Amino acid sequence: MKAFWTYTLARFAVFAVSFGLVWAISSIWLEPTNVTMIWVLLISLVVSSVVSIFVLGGLRDRLAQSVQERAARMTARIEESRRAEDID
């Protein structure tokens, strides 16, 4: 569960930084309106997604490993319960 929260918070941090940078750059040339903020949000989402692919690869691998281990434990428990039912 720790890997999930670490990765999630890292993704939010990358988004916040990209949003701040895109907003700062756009405020130099454009006046802040609702439409401008929507474009800033969309561009920030795309930029943070691309950056996350390259920068957060290690965290993503740890999260995937954690999920795989948890699934293996649950499968083992289910098989153990199934075997216990067969014995009864």
Side-chain angles (χ1 to χ4, degrees), residues 39-67:
W39 279 107
V40 167
L41 178 68
L42 291 174
I43 292 169
S44 299
L45 285 170
V46 171
V47 169
S48 69
S49 297
V50 172
V51 169
S52 293
I53 288 171
F54 296 107
V55 174
L56 302 179
L59 288 175
R60 189 173 46 255
D61 291 341
R62 277 187 246 144
L63 175 62
Q65 182 68 28
S66 172
V67 169

Side-chain angles (χ1 to χ4, degrees), residues 7 18 25-27 40 42 58-59 68 73 77 80 87:
Y7 181 70
S18 66
I25 292 169
S26 71
S27 66
V40 167
L42 291 174
L59 288 175
Q68 184 178 10
R73 284 193 310 264
R77 285 185 201 156
E80 185 179 317
I87 293 172

